[in-house]
PDB file of all heavy atoms in Angstrom:
ATOM      1  N   GLN A 293      -9.770  19.330  -5.011  1.00 93.00           N
ATOM      2  CA  GLN A 293     -10.194  20.126  -6.192  1.00 93.00           C
ATOM      3  C   GLN A 293     -10.851  21.510  -5.785  1.00 93.00           C
ATOM      4  O   GLN A 293     -11.515  22.164  -6.559  1.00 93.00           O
ATOM      5  CB  GLN A 293     -11.372  19.357  -6.944  1.00 93.00           C
ATOM      6  CG  GLN A 293     -10.848  18.383  -7.981  1.00 93.00           C
ATOM      7  CD  GLN A 293     -10.196  17.207  -7.323  1.00 93.00           C
ATOM      8  OE1 GLN A 293     -10.831  16.568  -6.437  1.00 93.00           O
ATOM      9  NE2 GLN A 293      -9.018  16.732  -7.681  1.00 93.00           N
ATOM     10  N   GLN A 294     -10.475  21.929  -4.531  1.00 93.00           N
ATOM     11  CA  GLN A 294     -11.008  23.188  -3.961  1.00 93.00           C
ATOM     12  C   GLN A 294     -12.533  23.201  -3.773  1.00 93.00           C
ATOM     13  O   GLN A 294     -13.085  24.357  -3.646  1.00 93.00           O
ATOM     14  CB  GLN A 294     -10.603  24.368  -4.804  1.00 93.00           C
ATOM     15  CG  GLN A 294      -9.108  24.486  -4.960  1.00 93.00           C
ATOM     16  CD  GLN A 294      -8.402  24.666  -3.612  1.00 93.00           C
ATOM     17  OE1 GLN A 294      -8.626  25.503  -2.813  1.00 93.00           O
ATOM     18  NE2 GLN A 294      -7.421  23.658  -3.372  1.00 93.00           N
ATOM     19  N   ILE A 295     -13.112  22.089  -3.798  1.00 96.00           N
ATOM     20  CA  ILE A 295     -14.597  21.928  -3.476  1.00 96.00           C
ATOM     21  C   ILE A 295     -14.762  22.195  -1.885  1.00 96.00           C
ATOM     22  O   ILE A 295     -14.060  21.511  -1.126  1.00 96.00           O
ATOM     23  CB  ILE A 295     -15.166  20.627  -3.876  1.00 96.00           C
ATOM     24  CG1 ILE A 295     -15.005  20.356  -5.358  1.00 96.00           C
ATOM     25  CG2 ILE A 295     -16.630  20.549  -3.539  1.00 96.00           C
ATOM     26  CD1 ILE A 295     -15.722  21.399  -6.275  1.00 96.00           C
ATOM     27  N   PHE A 296     -15.643  23.042  -1.588  1.00 97.00           N
ATOM     28  CA  PHE A 296     -15.942  23.352  -0.121  1.00 97.00           C
ATOM     29  C   PHE A 296     -16.641  22.245   0.511  1.00 97.00           C
ATOM     30  O   PHE A 296     -17.592  21.707  -0.019  1.00 97.00           O
ATOM     31  CB  PHE A 296     -16.827  24.612  -0.181  1.00 97.00           C
ATOM     32  CG  PHE A 296     -17.338  25.004   1.260  1.00 97.00           C
ATOM     33  CD1 PHE A 296     -16.474  25.534   2.119  1.00 97.00           C
ATOM     34  CD2 PHE A 296     -18.641  24.797   1.701  1.00 97.00           C
ATOM     35  CE1 PHE A 296     -16.852  25.923   3.368  1.00 97.00           C
ATOM     36  CE2 PHE A 296     -19.031  25.141   2.953  1.00 97.00           C
ATOM     37  CZ  PHE A 296     -18.119  25.740   3.811  1.00 97.00           C
ATOM     38  N   ILE A 297     -16.053  21.771   1.616  1.00 97.00           N
ATOM     39  CA  ILE A 297     -16.592  20.594   2.291  1.00 97.00           C
ATOM     40  C   ILE A 297     -17.000  20.878   3.736  1.00 97.00           C
ATOM     41  O   ILE A 297     -17.677  20.130   4.344  1.00 97.00           O
ATOM     42  CB  ILE A 297     -15.644  19.330   2.175  1.00 97.00           C
ATOM     43  CG1 ILE A 297     -14.338  19.653   2.847  1.00 97.00           C
ATOM     44  CG2 ILE A 297     -15.513  18.845   0.822  1.00 97.00           C
ATOM     45  CD1 ILE A 297     -13.433  18.456   2.973  1.00 97.00           C
ATOM     46  N   GLY A 298     -16.637  22.035   4.170  1.00 96.00           N
ATOM     47  CA  GLY A 298     -17.160  22.405   5.568  1.00 96.00           C
ATOM     48  C   GLY A 298     -16.256  23.456   6.232  1.00 96.00           C
ATOM     49  O   GLY A 298     -15.451  24.155   5.516  1.00 96.00           O
ATOM     50  N   ILE A 299     -16.379  23.615   7.532  1.00 96.00           N
ATOM     51  CA  ILE A 299     -15.588  24.597   8.254  1.00 96.00           C
ATOM     52  C   ILE A 299     -15.155  23.954   9.517  1.00 96.00           C
ATOM     53  O   ILE A 299     -15.633  22.885  10.062  1.00 96.00           O
ATOM     54  CB  ILE A 299     -16.422  25.840   8.603  1.00 96.00           C
ATOM     55  CG1 ILE A 299     -17.561  25.459   9.489  1.00 96.00           C
ATOM     56  CG2 ILE A 299     -16.867  26.554   7.380  1.00 96.00           C
ATOM     57  CD1 ILE A 299     -18.290  26.708  10.046  1.00 96.00           C
ATOM     58  N   VAL A 300     -14.096  24.674  10.145  1.00 93.00           N
ATOM     59  CA  VAL A 300     -13.664  24.347  11.509  1.00 93.00           C
ATOM     60  C   VAL A 300     -13.848  25.717  12.232  1.00 93.00           C
ATOM     61  O   VAL A 300     -13.346  26.690  11.767  1.00 93.00           O
ATOM     62  CB  VAL A 300     -12.252  23.864  11.588  1.00 93.00           C
ATOM     63  CG1 VAL A 300     -11.759  23.798  13.040  1.00 93.00           C
ATOM     64  CG2 VAL A 300     -12.064  22.572  10.843  1.00 93.00           C
TER      65      VAL A 300
END
Side-chain angles (χ1 to χ4, degrees):
Q293 275 74 51
Q294 300 304 304
I295 301 295
F296 177 71
I297 58 174
I299 64 169
V300 175

